[in-house]
PDB file of all heavy atoms in Angstrom:
ATOM      1  N   PHE A   1       8.326   5.197   5.911  1.00  0.00           N
ATOM      2  CA  PHE A   1       8.280   5.945   4.775  1.00  0.00           C
ATOM      3  C   PHE A   1       7.036   6.872   4.984  1.00  0.00           C
ATOM      4  O   PHE A   1       5.923   6.471   4.818  1.00  0.00           O
ATOM      5  CB  PHE A   1       8.158   5.098   3.499  1.00  0.00           C
ATOM      6  CG  PHE A   1       8.644   5.824   2.250  1.00  0.00           C
ATOM      7  CD1 PHE A   1       9.953   5.877   1.875  1.00  0.00           C
ATOM      8  CD2 PHE A   1       7.733   6.361   1.371  1.00  0.00           C
ATOM      9  CE1 PHE A   1      10.346   6.493   0.786  1.00  0.00           C
ATOM     10  CE2 PHE A   1       8.069   6.892   0.179  1.00  0.00           C
ATOM     11  CZ  PHE A   1       9.410   6.989  -0.164  1.00  0.00           C
ATOM     12  N   SER A   2       7.298   8.145   5.166  1.00  0.00           N
ATOM     13  CA  SER A   2       6.128   9.075   5.593  1.00  0.00           C
ATOM     14  C   SER A   2       5.158   9.231   4.427  1.00  0.00           C
ATOM     15  O   SER A   2       5.490   9.016   3.285  1.00  0.00           O
ATOM     16  CB  SER A   2       6.715  10.412   5.982  1.00  0.00           C
ATOM     17  OG  SER A   2       7.192  11.093   4.896  1.00  0.00           O
ATOM     18  N   ALA A   3       3.945   9.694   4.840  1.00  0.00           N
ATOM     19  CA  ALA A   3       2.912   9.991   3.803  1.00  0.00           C
ATOM     20  C   ALA A   3       3.419  11.070   2.836  1.00  0.00           C
ATOM     21  O   ALA A   3       3.090  11.022   1.668  1.00  0.00           O
ATOM     22  CB  ALA A   3       1.671  10.482   4.571  1.00  0.00           C
ATOM     23  N   TYR A   4       4.222  12.011   3.380  1.00  0.00           N
ATOM     24  CA  TYR A   4       4.735  13.066   2.498  1.00  0.00           C
ATOM     25  C   TYR A   4       5.760  12.456   1.489  1.00  0.00           C
ATOM     26  O   TYR A   4       5.665  12.792   0.293  1.00  0.00           O
ATOM     27  CB  TYR A   4       5.412  14.174   3.289  1.00  0.00           C
ATOM     28  CG  TYR A   4       6.053  15.213   2.511  1.00  0.00           C
ATOM     29  CD1 TYR A   4       5.367  16.206   1.923  1.00  0.00           C
ATOM     30  CD2 TYR A   4       7.442  15.171   2.228  1.00  0.00           C
ATOM     31  CE1 TYR A   4       5.976  17.197   1.163  1.00  0.00           C
ATOM     32  CE2 TYR A   4       8.069  16.112   1.406  1.00  0.00           C
ATOM     33  CZ  TYR A   4       7.285  17.154   0.879  1.00  0.00           C
ATOM     34  OH  TYR A   4       7.894  18.163   0.083  1.00  0.00           O
ATOM     35  N   ASP A   5       6.625  11.566   1.918  1.00  0.00           N
ATOM     36  CA  ASP A   5       7.527  10.940   1.028  1.00  0.00           C
ATOM     37  C   ASP A   5       6.818  10.089   0.001  1.00  0.00           C
ATOM     38  O   ASP A   5       7.201  10.094  -1.182  1.00  0.00           O
ATOM     39  CB  ASP A   5       8.565  10.084   1.823  1.00  0.00           C
ATOM     40  CG  ASP A   5       9.658  10.881   2.540  1.00  0.00           C
ATOM     41  OD1 ASP A   5       9.887  11.998   2.060  1.00  0.00           O
ATOM     42  OD2 ASP A   5      10.105  10.436   3.552  1.00  0.00           O
ATOM     43  N   PHE A   6       5.716   9.415   0.443  1.00  0.00           N
ATOM     44  CA  PHE A   6       4.926   8.595  -0.411  1.00  0.00           C
ATOM     45  C   PHE A   6       4.272   9.484  -1.549  1.00  0.00           C
ATOM     46  O   PHE A   6       4.267   9.159  -2.691  1.00  0.00           O
ATOM     47  CB  PHE A   6       3.909   7.899   0.365  1.00  0.00           C
ATOM     48  CG  PHE A   6       3.258   6.706  -0.370  1.00  0.00           C
ATOM     49  CD1 PHE A   6       3.790   5.480  -0.325  1.00  0.00           C
ATOM     50  CD2 PHE A   6       2.068   6.898  -1.049  1.00  0.00           C
ATOM     51  CE1 PHE A   6       3.225   4.375  -1.016  1.00  0.00           C
ATOM     52  CE2 PHE A   6       1.434   5.792  -1.676  1.00  0.00           C
ATOM     53  CZ  PHE A   6       2.005   4.544  -1.690  1.00  0.00           C
ATOM     54  N   TRP A   7       3.737  10.631  -1.107  1.00  0.00           N
ATOM     55  CA  TRP A   7       3.134  11.571  -2.041  1.00  0.00           C
ATOM     56  C   TRP A   7       4.227  12.033  -3.061  1.00  0.00           C
ATOM     57  O   TRP A   7       3.924  12.075  -4.279  1.00  0.00           O
ATOM     58  CB  TRP A   7       2.592  12.745  -1.262  1.00  0.00           C
ATOM     59  CG  TRP A   7       1.675  13.672  -2.050  1.00  0.00           C
ATOM     60  CD1 TRP A   7       0.309  13.573  -2.124  1.00  0.00           C
ATOM     61  CD2 TRP A   7       2.061  14.706  -2.900  1.00  0.00           C
ATOM     62  NE1 TRP A   7      -0.170  14.546  -2.977  1.00  0.00           N
ATOM     63  CE2 TRP A   7       0.886  15.311  -3.456  1.00  0.00           C
ATOM     64  CE3 TRP A   7       3.296  15.312  -3.256  1.00  0.00           C
ATOM     65  CZ2 TRP A   7       0.907  16.427  -4.342  1.00  0.00           C
ATOM     66  CZ3 TRP A   7       3.351  16.358  -4.112  1.00  0.00           C
ATOM     67  CH2 TRP A   7       2.173  16.941  -4.584  1.00  0.00           C
ATOM     68  N   GLN A   8       5.345  12.420  -2.563  1.00  0.00           N
ATOM     69  CA  GLN A   8       6.392  12.890  -3.447  1.00  0.00           C
ATOM     70  C   GLN A   8       6.868  11.798  -4.417  1.00  0.00           C
ATOM     71  O   GLN A   8       7.163  12.105  -5.574  1.00  0.00           O
ATOM     72  CB  GLN A   8       7.586  13.343  -2.619  1.00  0.00           C
ATOM     73  CG  GLN A   8       7.502  14.760  -2.124  1.00  0.00           C
ATOM     74  CD  GLN A   8       7.482  15.801  -3.229  1.00  0.00           C
ATOM     75  OE1 GLN A   8       8.140  15.634  -4.198  1.00  0.00           O
ATOM     76  NE2 GLN A   8       6.603  16.798  -3.039  1.00  0.00           N
ATOM     77  N   TYR A   9       6.912  10.558  -3.969  1.00  0.00           N
ATOM     78  CA  TYR A   9       7.301   9.484  -4.842  1.00  0.00           C
ATOM     79  C   TYR A   9       6.357   9.415  -6.069  1.00  0.00           C
ATOM     80  O   TYR A   9       6.863   9.278  -7.229  1.00  0.00           O
ATOM     81  CB  TYR A   9       7.268   8.101  -4.065  1.00  0.00           C
ATOM     82  CG  TYR A   9       7.635   7.014  -4.914  1.00  0.00           C
ATOM     83  CD1 TYR A   9       8.946   6.661  -5.181  1.00  0.00           C
ATOM     84  CD2 TYR A   9       6.667   6.123  -5.474  1.00  0.00           C
ATOM     85  CE1 TYR A   9       9.303   5.568  -5.964  1.00  0.00           C
ATOM     86  CE2 TYR A   9       7.016   5.085  -6.288  1.00  0.00           C
ATOM     87  CZ  TYR A   9       8.330   4.827  -6.478  1.00  0.00           C
ATOM     88  OH  TYR A   9       8.698   3.689  -7.390  1.00  0.00           O
ATOM     89  N   PHE A  10       5.134   9.517  -5.833  1.00  0.00           N
ATOM     90  CA  PHE A  10       4.176   9.456  -7.042  1.00  0.00           C
ATOM     91  C   PHE A  10       4.178  10.825  -7.806  1.00  0.00           C
ATOM     92  O   PHE A  10       3.870  10.752  -8.983  1.00  0.00           O
ATOM     93  CB  PHE A  10       2.812   9.040  -6.555  1.00  0.00           C
ATOM     94  CG  PHE A  10       2.674   7.522  -6.392  1.00  0.00           C
ATOM     95  CD1 PHE A  10       2.763   6.974  -5.164  1.00  0.00           C
ATOM     96  CD2 PHE A  10       2.411   6.723  -7.420  1.00  0.00           C
ATOM     97  CE1 PHE A  10       2.627   5.592  -4.971  1.00  0.00           C
ATOM     98  CE2 PHE A  10       2.298   5.386  -7.345  1.00  0.00           C
ATOM     99  CZ  PHE A  10       2.426   4.813  -6.087  1.00  0.00           C
ATOM    100  N   ARG A  11       4.429  11.832  -7.110  1.00  0.00           N
ATOM    101  CA  ARG A  11       4.454  13.210  -7.824  1.00  0.00           C
ATOM    102  C   ARG A  11       5.599  13.169  -8.807  1.00  0.00           C
ATOM    103  O   ARG A  11       5.521  13.845  -9.872  1.00  0.00           O
ATOM    104  CB  ARG A  11       4.601  14.285  -6.796  1.00  0.00           C
ATOM    105  CG  ARG A  11       4.941  15.637  -7.377  1.00  0.00           C
ATOM    106  CD  ARG A  11       3.897  16.132  -8.277  1.00  0.00           C
ATOM    107  NE  ARG A  11       4.155  17.491  -8.793  1.00  0.00           N
ATOM    108  CZ  ARG A  11       4.810  17.699  -9.932  1.00  0.00           C
ATOM    109  NH1 ARG A  11       5.287  16.614 -10.577  1.00  0.00           N
ATOM    110  NH2 ARG A  11       5.021  18.911 -10.386  1.00  0.00           N
ATOM    111  N   ASN A  12       6.635  12.393  -8.591  1.00  0.00           N
ATOM    112  CA  ASN A  12       7.757  12.353  -9.469  1.00  0.00           C
ATOM    113  C   ASN A  12       7.705  11.306 -10.529  1.00  0.00           C
ATOM    114  O   ASN A  12       8.640  10.970 -11.148  1.00  0.00           O
ATOM    115  CB  ASN A  12       9.061  12.158  -8.625  1.00  0.00           C
ATOM    116  CG  ASN A  12       9.388  13.314  -7.725  1.00  0.00           C
ATOM    117  OD1 ASN A  12       9.051  14.440  -8.037  1.00  0.00           O
ATOM    118  ND2 ASN A  12      10.028  13.055  -6.575  1.00  0.00           N
ATOM    119  N   THR A  13       6.507  10.711 -10.716  1.00  0.00           N
ATOM    120  CA  THR A  13       6.253   9.737 -11.736  1.00  0.00           C
ATOM    121  C   THR A  13       6.663  10.311 -13.155  1.00  0.00           C
ATOM    122  O   THR A  13       6.405  11.410 -13.472  1.00  0.00           O
ATOM    123  CB  THR A  13       4.758   9.363 -11.752  1.00  0.00           C
ATOM    124  OG1 THR A  13       4.407   8.717 -10.522  1.00  0.00           O
ATOM    125  CG2 THR A  13       4.385   8.385 -12.942  1.00  0.00           C
ATOM    126  N   GLU A  14       7.248   9.387 -13.987  1.00  0.00           N
ATOM    127  CA  GLU A  14       7.600   9.794 -15.329  1.00  0.00           C
ATOM    128  C   GLU A  14       6.267  10.083 -16.096  1.00  0.00           C
ATOM    129  O   GLU A  14       5.238   9.398 -15.883  1.00  0.00           O
ATOM    130  CB  GLU A  14       8.314   8.674 -16.026  1.00  0.00           C
ATOM    131  CG  GLU A  14       9.683   8.416 -15.380  1.00  0.00           C
ATOM    132  CD  GLU A  14      10.359   7.199 -16.047  1.00  0.00           C
ATOM    133  OE1 GLU A  14      10.094   6.935 -17.202  1.00  0.00           O
ATOM    134  OE2 GLU A  14      11.187   6.570 -15.360  1.00  0.00           O
ATOM    135  N   ASP A  15       6.297  10.996 -17.009  1.00  0.00           N
ATOM    136  CA  ASP A  15       5.041  11.411 -17.775  1.00  0.00           C
ATOM    137  C   ASP A  15       4.337  10.220 -18.435  1.00  0.00           C
ATOM    138  O   ASP A  15       3.184  10.089 -18.361  1.00  0.00           O
ATOM    139  CB  ASP A  15       5.441  12.455 -18.889  1.00  0.00           C
ATOM    140  CG  ASP A  15       5.914  13.806 -18.363  1.00  0.00           C
ATOM    141  OD1 ASP A  15       5.937  13.856 -17.115  1.00  0.00           O
ATOM    142  OD2 ASP A  15       6.235  14.650 -19.130  1.00  0.00           O
ATOM    143  N   ALA A  16       5.235   9.332 -19.046  1.00  0.00           N
ATOM    144  CA  ALA A  16       4.625   8.224 -19.766  1.00  0.00           C
ATOM    145  C   ALA A  16       3.966   7.180 -18.822  1.00  0.00           C
ATOM    146  O   ALA A  16       3.163   6.328 -19.318  1.00  0.00           O
ATOM    147  CB  ALA A  16       5.727   7.474 -20.592  1.00  0.00           C
ATOM    148  N   ASP A  17       4.162   7.216 -17.489  1.00  0.00           N
ATOM    149  CA  ASP A  17       3.543   6.227 -16.550  1.00  0.00           C
ATOM    150  C   ASP A  17       2.320   6.751 -15.890  1.00  0.00           C
ATOM    151  O   ASP A  17       1.652   5.936 -15.144  1.00  0.00           O
ATOM    152  CB  ASP A  17       4.650   5.903 -15.527  1.00  0.00           C
ATOM    153  CG  ASP A  17       5.795   5.122 -16.088  1.00  0.00           C
ATOM    154  OD1 ASP A  17       5.554   4.282 -17.043  1.00  0.00           O
ATOM    155  OD2 ASP A  17       6.927   5.258 -15.601  1.00  0.00           O
ATOM    156  N   VAL A  18       1.992   8.022 -16.103  1.00  0.00           N
ATOM    157  CA  VAL A  18       0.887   8.569 -15.304  1.00  0.00           C
ATOM    158  C   VAL A  18      -0.481   7.772 -15.499  1.00  0.00           C
ATOM    159  O   VAL A  18      -1.062   7.389 -14.529  1.00  0.00           O
ATOM    160  CB  VAL A  18       0.641  10.045 -15.663  1.00  0.00           C
ATOM    161  CG1 VAL A  18      -0.603  10.625 -14.994  1.00  0.00           C
ATOM    162  CG2 VAL A  18       1.909  10.891 -15.174  1.00  0.00           C
ATOM    163  N   GLY A  19      -0.828   7.564 -16.739  1.00  0.00           N
ATOM    164  CA  GLY A  19      -2.089   6.858 -16.974  1.00  0.00           C
ATOM    165  C   GLY A  19      -2.111   5.504 -16.409  1.00  0.00           C
ATOM    166  O   GLY A  19      -3.065   5.036 -15.769  1.00  0.00           O
ATOM    167  N   ARG A  20      -0.996   4.707 -16.601  1.00  0.00           N
ATOM    168  CA  ARG A  20      -0.872   3.339 -16.106  1.00  0.00           C
ATOM    169  C   ARG A  20      -0.956   3.320 -14.604  1.00  0.00           C
ATOM    170  O   ARG A  20      -1.634   2.466 -14.024  1.00  0.00           O
ATOM    171  CB  ARG A  20       0.480   2.742 -16.596  1.00  0.00           C
ATOM    172  CG  ARG A  20       0.644   1.259 -16.357  1.00  0.00           C
ATOM    173  CD  ARG A  20       1.710   0.682 -17.246  1.00  0.00           C
ATOM    174  NE  ARG A  20       2.967   1.363 -17.117  1.00  0.00           N
ATOM    175  CZ  ARG A  20       4.043   0.840 -16.469  1.00  0.00           C
ATOM    176  NH1 ARG A  20       3.959  -0.324 -15.930  1.00  0.00           N
ATOM    177  NH2 ARG A  20       5.172   1.461 -16.390  1.00  0.00           N
ATOM    178  N   PHE A  21      -0.233   4.248 -13.950  1.00  0.00           N
ATOM    179  CA  PHE A  21      -0.187   4.195 -12.425  1.00  0.00           C
ATOM    180  C   PHE A  21      -1.504   4.624 -11.882  1.00  0.00           C
ATOM    181  O   PHE A  21      -1.907   4.264 -10.813  1.00  0.00           O
ATOM    182  CB  PHE A  21       0.933   5.076 -11.949  1.00  0.00           C
ATOM    183  CG  PHE A  21       2.313   4.467 -12.190  1.00  0.00           C
ATOM    184  CD1 PHE A  21       2.479   3.264 -12.778  1.00  0.00           C
ATOM    185  CD2 PHE A  21       3.505   5.133 -11.764  1.00  0.00           C
ATOM    186  CE1 PHE A  21       3.727   2.712 -13.030  1.00  0.00           C
ATOM    187  CE2 PHE A  21       4.760   4.622 -11.882  1.00  0.00           C
ATOM    188  CZ  PHE A  21       4.915   3.371 -12.600  1.00  0.00           C
ATOM    189  N   LEU A  22      -2.237   5.498 -12.600  1.00  0.00           N
ATOM    190  CA  LEU A  22      -3.604   5.940 -12.124  1.00  0.00           C
ATOM    191  C   LEU A  22      -4.502   4.733 -12.073  1.00  0.00           C
ATOM    192  O   LEU A  22      -5.321   4.541 -11.176  1.00  0.00           O
ATOM    193  CB  LEU A  22      -4.140   7.043 -13.012  1.00  0.00           C
ATOM    194  CG  LEU A  22      -3.652   8.431 -12.753  1.00  0.00           C
ATOM    195  CD1 LEU A  22      -3.999   9.377 -13.922  1.00  0.00           C
ATOM    196  CD2 LEU A  22      -4.239   9.027 -11.427  1.00  0.00           C
ATOM    197  N   LYS A  23      -4.396   3.836 -13.127  1.00  0.00           N
ATOM    198  CA  LYS A  23      -5.218   2.670 -13.162  1.00  0.00           C
ATOM    199  C   LYS A  23      -4.847   1.680 -12.117  1.00  0.00           C
ATOM    200  O   LYS A  23      -5.779   1.076 -11.471  1.00  0.00           O
ATOM    201  CB  LYS A  23      -5.063   1.912 -14.545  1.00  0.00           C
ATOM    202  CG  LYS A  23      -5.639   2.695 -15.740  1.00  0.00           C
ATOM    203  CD  LYS A  23      -5.416   1.803 -16.986  1.00  0.00           C
ATOM    204  CE  LYS A  23      -6.009   2.519 -18.207  1.00  0.00           C
ATOM    205  NZ  LYS A  23      -5.700   1.764 -19.400  1.00  0.00           N
ATOM    206  N   ILE A  24      -3.554   1.500 -11.761  1.00  0.00           N
ATOM    207  CA  ILE A  24      -3.147   0.533 -10.795  1.00  0.00           C
ATOM    208  C   ILE A  24      -3.263   1.013  -9.335  1.00  0.00           C
ATOM    209  O   ILE A  24      -3.781   0.254  -8.514  1.00  0.00           O
ATOM    210  CB  ILE A  24      -1.656   0.136 -11.108  1.00  0.00           C
ATOM    211  CG1 ILE A  24      -1.574  -0.535 -12.482  1.00  0.00           C
ATOM    212  CG2 ILE A  24      -1.103  -0.779 -10.040  1.00  0.00           C
ATOM    213  CD1 ILE A  24      -0.162  -0.820 -12.935  1.00  0.00           C
ATOM    214  N   PHE A  25      -2.864   2.198  -9.138  1.00  0.00           N
ATOM    215  CA  PHE A  25      -2.728   2.617  -7.692  1.00  0.00           C
ATOM    216  C   PHE A  25      -3.853   3.498  -7.122  1.00  0.00           C
ATOM    217  O   PHE A  25      -3.798   3.908  -6.005  1.00  0.00           O
ATOM    218  CB  PHE A  25      -1.440   3.328  -7.509  1.00  0.00           C
ATOM    219  CG  PHE A  25      -0.187   2.450  -7.687  1.00  0.00           C
ATOM    220  CD1 PHE A  25       0.621   2.591  -8.844  1.00  0.00           C
ATOM    221  CD2 PHE A  25       0.142   1.513  -6.754  1.00  0.00           C
ATOM    222  CE1 PHE A  25       1.662   1.786  -9.016  1.00  0.00           C
ATOM    223  CE2 PHE A  25       1.250   0.666  -6.955  1.00  0.00           C
ATOM    224  CZ  PHE A  25       2.014   0.780  -8.127  1.00  0.00           C
TER     225      PHE A  25
END
């Protein structure tokens, strides 16, 4: 799973999850 695909995966995060995922990841 390429670094670009990984970046895109998180770029497509739902709005409501941004704060939570920033804390975790």
Side-chain angles (χ1 to χ4, degrees):
F1 200 79
S2 72
Y4 176 81
D5 285 334
F6 196 85
W7 192 95
Q8 277 297 321
Y9 178 79
F10 278 98
R11 171 62 181 84
N12 294 331
T13 296
E14 297 175 25
D15 292 1
D17 290 326
V18 171
R20 188 162 58 106
F21 288 1
L22 280 165
K23 289 181 180 179
I24 294 172
F25 294 107

